Amino acid sequence: GAVVSQHPSWVICKSGTSVKIECRSLDFQATTMFWYRQFPKQSLMLMATSNEGSKATYEQGVEKDKFLINHASLTLSTLTVTSAHPEDSSFYICSARKQGINEKLFFGSGTQLSVL
Amino acid sequence: SQQGEEDPQALSIQEGENATMNCSYKTSINNLQWYRQNSGRGLVHLILIRSNEREKHSGRLRVTLDTSKKSSSLLITASRAADTASYFCATAMKSSGDKLTFGTGTRLAVRP
């Protein structure tokens, strides 16, 4: 199997604080990880593509300094929402592409962020 | 931007009935994939169909692809209450490398 663990599942924080979300591939090496944002009853919006050892590639309209992505190893990528505001409240999901399998994605279980 | 538009947006059926969801896309693709999402959870890959394939089966799932119409359908036969979830198509476009673009999704409710 291919398991992607995302932590935390949910987080509540005060406006102005930073929140870090981790995405780990537990039993495989992930050449690429993707971060998505999803609003209620809507589709996934790709925020950025994270490649191990290099800078993330952000989608148009996504602030790099707001959403910091680090992909330090082949099994871990982190998304840090800096100086969070209520409008950042959303469901964030990561996915990973398995090395050698360049098509389907394996998803984490998502993180519900609520900024007060 | 949204590549895939799905219809219907929501579908409610009785257990045992078949459910059909449709996905349309705009540009040339390498493959099209279907994913399932339970409420508040991540997505699970269901099936992948390549641009040179027309139909694919996996258990109770049947996927068709019509590249001339730029559309795909997902059929779930003999539905069960446990099939209740949102279903998304995702396209891997020739122009965007390895990125997947997700459709708007269909929320399926199967009544026991």
Side-chain angles (χ1 to χ4, degrees):
Chain A
V3 178
V4 175
S5 173
Q6 187 173 340
H7 178 81
S9 299
W10 56 270
V11 57
I12 301 172
C13 68
K14 291 182 179 179
S15 190
T17 60
S18 294
V19 175
K20 180 185 280 189
I21 303 170
E22 291 188 350
C23 182
R24 291 180 186 272
S25 55
L26 297 186
D27 53 358
F28 67 98
Q29 292 187 325
T31 51
T32 307
M33 289 185 172
F34 301 91
W35 288 95
Y36 299 85
R37 185 171 181 176
Q38 185 180 32
F39 291 104
K41 297 185 180 179
Q42 293 190 25
S43 188
L44 281 72
M45 291 177 54
L46 180 64
M47 299 174 67
T49 302
S50 171
N51 293 296
E52 184 267 339
S54 63
K55 290 184 179 179
T57 303
Y58 290 80
E59 294 300 300
Q60 194 171 10
V62 178
E63 298 176 57
K64 300 178 185 182
D65 296 332
K66 174 75 173 175
F67 300 100
L68 298 178
I69 291 173
N70 185 287
H71 195 156
S73 76
L74 282 171
T75 60
L76 173 64
S77 177
T78 60
L79 167 68
T80 301
V81 183
T82 62
S83 187
H85 288 95
E87 57 265 31
D88 298 325
S89 298
S90 187
F91 191 61
Y92 293 87
I93 313 176
C94 71
S95 68
R97 176 162 280 139
K98 198 172 181 178
Q99 211 168 30
I101 300 178
N102 293 323
E103 294 173 321
K104 73 177 186 180
L105 298 178
F106 301 93
F107 281 82
S109 54
T111 297
Q112 181 63 51
L113 171 63
S114 297
V115 185
L116 304 177
Chain B
S1 62
Q2 295 294 331
Q3 156 79 325
E5 296 291 329
E6 294 182 58
D7 82 276
Q9 290 188 340
L11 180 62
S12 179
I13 59 174
Q14 198 71 35
E15 203 165 30
E17 294 179 340
N18 295 342
T20 300
M21 292 159 253
N22 302 295
C23 169
S24 60
Y25 57 92
K26 297 174 183 173
T27 60
S28 295
I29 60 171
N30 288 325
N31 64 70
L32 185 145
Q33 305 176 34
W34 285 89
Y35 287 81
R36 167 196 166 124
Q37 183 183 33
N38 284 19
S39 181
R41 304 290 294 175
L43 279 69
V44 175
H45 181 268
L46 295 176
I47 197 165
L48 178 152
I49 187 164
R50 302 183 199 287
S51 59
N52 62 351
E53 297 176 310
R54 291 296 166 259
E55 189 171 311
K56 209 158 181 182
H57 297 255
S58 176
R60 293 184 296 114
L61 305 180
R62 174 179 167 249
V63 168
T64 62
L65 178 64
D66 187 333
T67 52
S68 66
K69 295 181 179 178
K70 291 187 169 62
S71 67
S72 173
S73 67
L74 170 67
L75 168 68
I76 304 175
T77 60
S79 65
R80 305 166 182 168
D83 294 330
T84 295
S86 290
Y87 292 82
F88 294 91
C89 67
T91 50
M93 292 183 283
K94 292 183 179 178
S95 60
S96 66
D98 57 1
K99 288 192 298 187
L100 284 184
T101 304
F102 286 82
T104 50
T106 294
R107 295 190 305 280
L108 173 66
V110 182
R111 304 185 301 274

